[in-house]
Each structure stands twice: as C-alpha cells, then as structure tokens.
C-alpha cells in the first residue's frame, strides 16, 4: 500500500516561494502518475498539478506559470515548486497517485502540509 508524507509548507509573504515535497512509500512509485492537490478552508479539494512517470506535466489554470511539479523516482519523491505566491494559494496541500486523464486520486490521503500566504 502506497502512503504519502507531505512537507515543506509554511507562512510566506505574497510574491514569495515555497518548495513542497511528497515522499511516497512503496516500491512501485515510479509506475504512477502523481498529482498535487489543495484544499482551502470551506472549499473542496482541487487538483493543482500532475506529472506522469515519464515527466509529462499539467497544471490548473490558476497556478500555470507560477508552480512547477517534478519528481525524482530514485527518491520516491514528488515536488511542487511554488513561486509568486498569492493569498488565494493558502490551503492544505496534498499529493497522491492519480489517474492521468482526469486526476482522480488513487490512494488514501496523507496529512498534507499547510501553506499560508499572508503579509
């Protein structure tokens, strides 16, 4: 069973940057497409970015040009580099294995990592 541990969140000022990490257990990490999601207070969880096992990427329109997803299969880790952060990026961020064409999550959620963008 694959499990995920997210880290790297924190408090940052608008315009700042953060790099999130998601460490996955399980020996078949490299076969999965992976995705980052976020959930803001009072809102539904939404897909933010995805990456195939071959490195193809996709992004929500709200983060395109500001966020970059990447992965290191040798470390069973996926990353989310977030630049030019805005207050509306404030949320708990999660990762998961995904069905590529519609970003449906495949496994149980981890604890997430809180990102707060505020001056």
């Amino acid at each position: 069973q694959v499990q995920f541990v997210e880290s790297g969140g924190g408090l940052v000022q608008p315009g700042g940057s953060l790099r999130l990490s998601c460490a996955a257990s399980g020996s078949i990490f490299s076969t999965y497409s992976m995705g980052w999601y976020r959930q803001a207070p009072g809102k539904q969880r939404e897909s933010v970015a995805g990456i195939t096992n071959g490195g193809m990427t996709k992004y929500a329109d709200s983060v395109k040009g500001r966020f970059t997803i990447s992965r290191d299969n040798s470390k069973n880790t996926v990353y989310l580099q977030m630049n030019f952060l805005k207050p509306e990026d404030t949320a708990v961020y999660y990762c998961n294995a995904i069905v590529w064409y519609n970003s449906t999550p495949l496994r149980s959620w981890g604890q997430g990592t809180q990102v707060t963008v505020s001056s």
Side-chain angles (χ1 to χ4, degrees), residues 57-78:
T57 59
K58 61 179 178 180
Y59 299 93
D61 288 343
S62 59
V63 307
K64 202 170 293 183
R66 300 187 298 121
F67 290 10
T68 302
I69 188 171
S70 61
R71 67 191 294 165
D72 185 339
N73 290 338
S74 69
K75 296 181 179 179
N76 281 11
T77 301
V78 62

Side-chain angles (χ1 to χ4, degrees), residues 7-119:
S7 62
L11 173 64
V12 62
Q13 292 186 342
S17 298
L18 282 174
R19 189 193 194 206
L20 307 183
S21 298
C22 168
S25 63
S27 59
I28 56 173
F29 169 83
S30 62
T31 67
Y32 287 110
S33 293
M34 293 293 298
W36 281 98
Y37 300 76
R38 66 187 180 188
Q39 187 167 20
K43 295 187 177 181
Q44 290 190 332
R45 188 156 15 208
E46 62 174 353
S47 174
V48 172
I51 185 167
T52 66
N53 56 357
M56 184 183 304
T57 59
K58 61 179 178 180
Y59 299 93
D61 288 343
S62 59
V63 307
K64 202 170 293 183
R66 300 187 298 121
F67 290 10
T68 302
I69 188 171
S70 61
R71 67 191 294 165
D72 185 339
N73 290 338
S74 69
K75 296 181 179 179
N76 281 11
T77 301
V78 62
Y79 304 97
L80 187 68
Q81 177 67 43
M82 305 187 296
N83 298 327
F84 306 108
L85 282 161
K86 304 175 180 180
E88 51 263 44
D89 295 318
T90 295
V92 180
Y93 283 72
Y94 303 86
C95 69
N96 209 321
I98 62 171
V99 176
W100 176 250
Y101 82 96
N102 64 0
S103 297
T104 299
L106 293 172
R107 295 291 181 262
S108 299
W109 297 103
Q111 84 288 350
T113 186
Q114 175 71 49
V115 172
T116 302
V117 184
S118 175
S119 55

